[in-house]
Amino acid sequence: MVGAVVELVEVGPDDWRLWRELRHKALGEASYAFKSTLAEWQGDGDREQRWRDRLAIPGSYNLVGVVDGRPVGMASGYPEDDPEVVWLHSMWVDPAARGVGVGDRLIAAIVEWAAKSGARKMMLGVVEGNTNAEALYVRQGFAYTGEVNGMMPDGVRRDLAMARTLNA
């Protein structure tokens, strides 16, 4: 994949099957990195409407990274409580596609979208000890805020807040 061309595709509710496939892969491969678990999104939770609703969150921007015609990454941005703050969610890149710029492209596109939408700050959570994700986020201009977003499902590790200022 060296020298790979990364294509970004915006997805919405009608793309729920693709999003589900990537999210299942993400939660299976990197369960240590997410507050949600694969079990929560499978079984009774694996309903079409739930996936459509996830991709229809008001004000959201959902992207899939594609390399050589294969979906290899995902990320979302959406406001939560404060309209001037956008959160980066569901960030994941397939291990086979890491190191070729998929993560950087996904984050840069969401940052650009957020700034154009009027947000002044982007927030995210990263699990303490996830040094690869931390390096990606720092490279994209994020820094730790000192806040803790909560505990991970294992009850041991914390989800640490990172933020960056957005330029309009």
Side-chain angles (χ1 to χ4, degrees), residues 27 39 51 54 80 87 94 97 99 106 110 123 127 133-134 156:
L27 293 171
W51 291 104
R54 167 59 185 83
E80 289 186 357
W87 282 78
D94 186 306
L106 286 165
I110 297 213
M123 300 284 300
V127 179
E134 177 185 2
V156 176

Side-chain angles (χ1 to χ4, degrees), residues 86-108:
V86 171
W87 282 78
L88 177 67
H89 287 281
S90 303
M91 178 69 207
W92 178 77
V93 176
D94 186 306
R98 292 180 186 158
V100 299
V102 178
D104 286 305
R105 290 281 315 278
L106 286 165
I107 293 171

